[in-house]
Amino acid sequence: MNVLGIDIGGTGIKGAPVDLSDGKLAEERYRIQTPQPATPQKVAKAVGRIAAHFEWKGPIGCTLPARVQHGVAHTATNIHRTWIDTAVDDLFSAHTGLPVHVLNDADAAGVASMAYGAGKDRDDLVLMLTVGTGIGSALFVHRQLVPNTELGHLDLNGRNAELFCSDRARKRDGLSWKQWAKRFQVYLDTVEFLFAPDLIILGGGISRPSKVQKYMRYLSTAAELVPAVLENEAGIIGAAYAARTMAPA
Ligand code: BGC
């Protein structure tokens, strides 16, 4: 079965039909610029444009970089503040005329990794961390997602973790990969102390193979630590998968 997956990011909104039998994109990805300011109404229109591009008639799964609980967005750290309390499932459904299920972007990437990527055969405690503009998290206990964990906002000695060691923080502070890894190691130590995961999957912008080789050797964890293999497409794939398996009936 194919489901349309849409990944909403700060600069681009990307969508593609996903073949859920193998987690592959069934058609070429379609990307449009995220409208600015990225208000719910403008983004909803963009979601409608993506559905129209594919002449889509079935279910849609969509990511949002926010806590999304029962179809309603509750936070907006790196997105426009007007998302808070927006009924996103209903808004996107109204703009597409189709059933839309929205979930947190890191949760979507995690769902994709568990279904088709590094977490595929894992039944233990798996933590996905997406590191880019912010830090997102997705926690799985016996393959079951604990949604909206928001571990990117853990406190590290009085500092918000994502402000301290996201990829944006690395660029903002002009850090070498080694210097950034030293900061990220503090974060990993904290996460391991609190949750004792068996496997940590690193996703987001830093999971590209060209980047992984620059910092992986500086990190050490008790858990197995691996880069995500689905990279850029994880949001699209996970959103589509979740629309099929996690959307309310
Ligand atoms: C947001 C999360 C999101 C993460 C990655 C954080 O700032 O609070 O909801 O998953 O960024 O985009």
Side-chain angles (χ1 to χ4, degrees):
M1 176 183 186
N2 289 5
V3 172
L4 179 61
I6 299 178
D7 191 16
I8 299 176
T11 53
I13 302 179
K14 304 166 286 185
V18 179
D19 180 349
L20 295 182
S21 67
D22 58 6
K24 299 253 168 17
L25 304 195
E27 283 179 58
E28 199 181 323
R29 197 180 77 160
Y30 180 62
R31 179 188 194 276
I32 53 184
Q33 297 250 84
T34 305
Q36 299 299 337
T39 57
Q41 288 299 330
K42 286 189 174 178
V43 170
K45 265 194 198 148
V47 166
R49 270 177 62 200
I50 291 185
H53 170 86
F54 291 106
E55 297 174 3
W56 197 250
K57 294 283 171 275
I60 300 175
C62 203
T63 73
L64 198 68
R67 167 173 289 174
V68 183
Q69 216 166 352
H70 310 301
V72 179
H74 287 290
T75 59
T77 25
N78 291 315
I79 54 170
H80 202 267
R81 60 189 150 67
T82 51
W83 284 94
I84 292 176
D85 292 338
T86 299
V88 282
D89 279 9
D90 292 348
L91 177 70
F92 293 171
S93 297
H95 273 80
T96 54
L98 296 166
V100 183
H101 176 63
V102 184
L103 80 165
N104 170 266
D105 58 352
D107 282 351
V111 163
S113 293
M114 293 304 287
Y116 310 106
K120 204 168 155 215
D121 300 313
R122 302 297 295 232
D123 191 30
D124 42 9
L125 200 72
V126 180
L127 177 64
M128 168 108 197
L129 295 172
T130 63
V131 184
T133 306
I135 296 181
S137 61
L139 185 66
F140 295 84
V141 186
H142 300 309
R143 305 194 62 75
Q144 183 72 41
L145 172 68
V146 181
N148 292 306
T149 43
E150 293 289 344
L151 300 185
H153 299 287
L154 277 178
D155 183 277
L156 299 181
N157 302 319
R159 305 182 73 158
N160 180 287
E162 76 171 22
L163 295 181
F164 179 61
C165 60
S166 63
D167 200 35
R168 176 156 74 180
R170 179 183 67 81
K171 292 175 190 154
R172 179 197 64 208
D173 295 343
L175 303 178
S176 67
W177 282 103
K178 192 176 178 182
Q179 288 167 324
W180 171 80
K182 204 171 161 197
R183 287 191 186 185
F184 194 64
Q185 182 66 51
V186 177
Y187 178 62
L188 287 175
D189 290 346
T190 308
V191 161
E192 286 216 285
F193 177 70
L194 294 172
F195 296 96
D198 297 292
L199 172 68
I200 299 175
I201 305 172
L202 292 183
I206 62 151
S207 65
R208 278 187 218 117
S210 59
K211 294 199 172 168
V212 168
Q213 52 166 350
K214 294 184 175 151
Y215 62 81
M216 213 50 161
R217 64 182 178 281
Y218 302 124
L219 301 176
S220 86
T221 50
E224 241 175 277
L225 180 69
V226 297
V229 286
L230 301 171
E231 297 174 54
N232 238 342
E233 321 289 18
I236 294 176
I237 298 167
Y241 189 89
R244 184 80 185 120
T245 56
M246 293 157 68

